[in-house]
């Protein structure tokens, strides 16, 4: 039995990782931290729990404490989102 945490499941790469993990027989539970809802055909899988996260730069203790029993984590969040926030123009 393995519980896996996953970020980035709504994107192309993270979504591919999610589908592969759902098909893997040794992974029994996947907690996907997402910005928006996943398609019904994926979200209805009994192995999957989704957690909506508005800001991936702010993780609360309560959110993390509920998943201390996870065996692994796959982290894929596109960093361009964060770079756009802090970008400055140099002329």
């Amino acid at each position: 039995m393995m519980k896996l945490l996953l970020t980035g499941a709504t994107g192309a790469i993270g979504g591919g990782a999610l589908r592969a993990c759902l098909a893997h027989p040794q992974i029994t539970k996947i907690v996907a931290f997402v910005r928006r809802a996943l398609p019904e055909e994926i979200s209805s899988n009994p192995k999957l729990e989704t957690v909506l996260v508005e800001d991936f730069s702010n993780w609360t203790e309560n959110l993390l404490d509920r998943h201390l029993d996870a065996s692994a984590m796959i982290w894929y969040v596109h960093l361009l989102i964060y770079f756009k926030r802090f970008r400055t123009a140099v002329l």
Side-chain angles (χ1 to χ4, degrees):
M1 290 182 37
M2 177 189 281
K3 179 178 179 179
L4 176 80
L5 307 180
L6 174 67
T7 66
T10 57
I13 295 172
L18 175 60
R19 287 187 292 283
C21 291
L22 287 170
H24 198 289
Q26 291 181 321
I27 299 174
T28 54
K29 174 87 172 176
I30 301 164
V31 180
F33 299 97
V34 296
R35 287 190 179 91
R36 60 185 177 277
L38 293 167
E40 177 62 30
E41 66 270 9
I42 295 172
S43 64
S44 62
N45 190 303
K47 291 171 70 169
L48 180 63
E49 173 187 344
T50 57
V51 178
L52 290 174
V53 178
E54 290 183 23
D55 182 2
F56 277 86
S57 66
N58 184 20
W59 291 79
T60 65
E61 290 292 324
N62 182 39
L63 179 64
L64 295 174
D65 285 349
R66 292 184 294 165
H67 303 293
L68 289 175
D69 59 336
S71 301
M73 182 171 196
I74 298 173
W75 180 275
Y76 182 79
V77 174
H78 198 285
L79 294 178
L80 184 58
I81 293 165
Y82 298 106
F83 291 135
K84 284 182 180 178
R85 286 187 196 168
F86 304 108
R87 182 177 56 190
T88 58
V90 178
L91 301 176

